[in-house]
Amino acid sequence: MEEIYCSAADTAMECSGSLLPVKYPYNPGYAVGNEGTAAHKGIEQIIETHPESVAEVAEPLAVRYGVDLDSLTFLLQEAWRAWGKLSHLFRSPQLERSVKGPYCRGRADLVSYGVDGVAALDWKFGYIDTWHPHQLTAYASCLRAEVGMPSRGYIDVVEVQVRAGKWWHRKLDGDTLDEWESQLARNLRHPGRQWAPGTDTCRYCASRIECPARAQYIASAAAWMGGFAELGEPREAIAEGYEQAEALRAALRLYDAAVHDRLRDGPLDLPGDRRAELVETKRDEIDTGKAWPVLAERMKWDPKDVLPLTTIGKGKL
């Protein structure tokens, strides 16, 4: 039977349509990718070497991956703080450990094996603080297949949302894992039987560009929003349409990116004898050193009154 990556388990369990073959897989690059990689490397180094300060780990990594030092330092400090609260679950930590189970495989950020306990941890350094329960369960399924269920009767799994400063700890017993594996096996045997388009489900799905269910989901959102002003929808209906509107906005961003790429090759002829093309513009610059004395003279401004209005700092403008 086909295997999936543990990182794809949340999408696979919610929507078996994501398991169908894909002709043009969606695989974008993300600006935060380098920062996430640097943060993963950094926390691994901190756990292994116990440095005197986070800064001595963050500085060379920021240079190596070309990321902001302050932001990387913040992430490593938060991750180190979380590890201080969670390290008791990992008596013999192994970093970046490849795991394989009956239906999935992947690479866990951190695992620990022992007679009295088995555990896995996944760091999330991104901005979206959505939990990934099925990814964690996939790691537990793999660990049980490799080393068996520990004597305590459950496997600890932890997800740390570093930017948000929070973590989620679950204890998965044998019955829970059996039920989860059975559902994943059904989805793998019958891809496309269950569709669940939505913001979280579609976000990282490889099928999102050519998914018929997502296309219908977005089309219905557009139709609903088109008649929204006339319908005078109550608050409850507005709330129900929010997720569809998010999917529609995401589709429009994807469309805008495609249009921009085509315009790089030349103008596009539009209906109604119109044309779209890229136009280069130049922004004028103002020399404030020269402009300020002129404005002060003409407007009779006092510098001490204007300075607070032009000061930018944390929490104020």
Side-chain angles (χ1 to χ4, degrees):
M1 185 177 292
E2 182 183 355
E3 294 179 338
I4 64 167
Y5 287 107
C6 296
S7 57
D10 287 275
T11 301
M13 291 292 282
E14 297 295 334
C15 179
S16 66
S18 66
L19 298 170
L20 290 170
V22 183
K23 186 175 182 181
Y24 301 107
Y26 179 73
N27 186 26
Y30 294 95
V32 297
N34 282 353
E35 186 175 66
T37 301
H40 274 95
K41 296 296 184 184
I43 190 58
E44 289 174 13
Q45 186 175 337
I46 289 172
I47 292 173
E48 286 183 323
T49 65
H50 302 281
E52 293 185 3
S53 70
V54 169
E56 66 183 75
V57 174
E59 290 177 2
L61 286 173
V63 174
R64 177 181 174 185
Y65 290 96
V67 299
D68 182 75
L69 175 59
D70 291 339
S71 180
L72 178 59
T73 300
F74 164 75
L75 291 176
L76 293 181
Q77 288 173 338
E78 288 298 302
W80 184 233
R81 181 181 68 84
W83 177 247
K85 302 288 186 179
L86 299 167
S87 58
H88 67 281
L89 298 172
F90 301 87
R91 301 290 180 85
S92 53
Q94 300 179 36
L95 305 173
E96 286 290 317
R97 177 71 157 74
S98 293
V99 294
K100 188 177 185 303
Y103 305 110
C104 47
R105 58 191 172 91
R107 182 178 292 272
D109 290 336
L110 193 150
V111 300
S112 178
Y113 300 139
V115 177
D116 59 339
V118 176
L121 181 146
D122 191 61
W123 301 103
K124 299 295 184 186
F125 292 101
Y127 289 91
I128 301 173
D129 58 350
T130 302
W131 299 116
H132 302 78
H134 296 296
Q135 181 179 1
L136 294 180
T137 308
Y139 288 140
S141 172
C142 293
L143 292 176
R144 183 176 69 162
E146 291 187 357
V147 300
M149 185 65 74
S151 59
R152 65 177 62 176
Y154 60 83
I155 295 176
D156 292 286
V157 290
V158 181
E159 178 177 332
V160 183
Q161 296 284 350
V162 179
R163 290 184 190 275
K166 58 187 181 181
W167 50 85
W168 188 40
H169 175 204
R170 297 183 66 198
K171 299 178 180 180
L172 302 176
D173 59 26
D175 291 340
T176 300
L177 291 177
D178 288 341
E179 182 179 351
W180 184 87
E181 289 175 358
S182 296
Q183 182 182 342
L184 179 57
R186 286 194 298 270
N187 285 5
L188 289 169
R189 284 195 300 268
H190 306 288
R193 172 180 289 185
Q194 171 194 4
W195 298 86
T199 303
D200 292 333
T201 312
C202 298
R203 179 174 288 119
Y204 302 115
C205 180
S207 305
R208 61 178 294 172
I209 294 177
E210 54 195 71
C211 175
R214 183 170 184 269
Q216 181 59 43
Y217 181 76
I218 292 172
S220 64
W224 181 82
M225 293 180 70
F228 177 79
E230 299 177 3
L231 294 174
E233 299 284 359
R235 293 177 61 86
E236 292 77 9
I238 294 174
E240 290 178 4
Y242 184 84
E243 186 169 310
Q244 284 181 292
E246 283 290 302
L248 178 59
R249 281 190 286 268
L252 289 173
R253 287 193 295 270
L254 193 64
Y255 170 77
D256 288 341
V259 169
H260 192 271
D261 286 342
R262 297 301 181 273
L263 289 174
R264 290 179 182 274
D265 299 328
L268 289 176
D269 292 326
L270 305 178
D273 294 327
R274 295 178 299 159
R275 169 177 280 197
E277 59 183 327
L278 288 178
V279 178
E280 183 177 353
T281 60
K282 182 178 181 181
R283 185 174 183 177
D284 293 332
E285 296 180 354
I286 297 176
D287 188 334
T288 56
K290 296 179 180 179
W292 168 246
V294 176
L295 291 173
E297 174 63 26
R298 292 186 180 180
M299 306 300 293
K300 306 302 181 185
W301 286 345
D302 189 329
K304 74 177 187 307
D305 295 328
V306 179
L307 184 61
L309 301 178
T310 58
T311 300
I312 298 177
K314 291 184 177 179
K316 67 177 183 177
L317 173 61

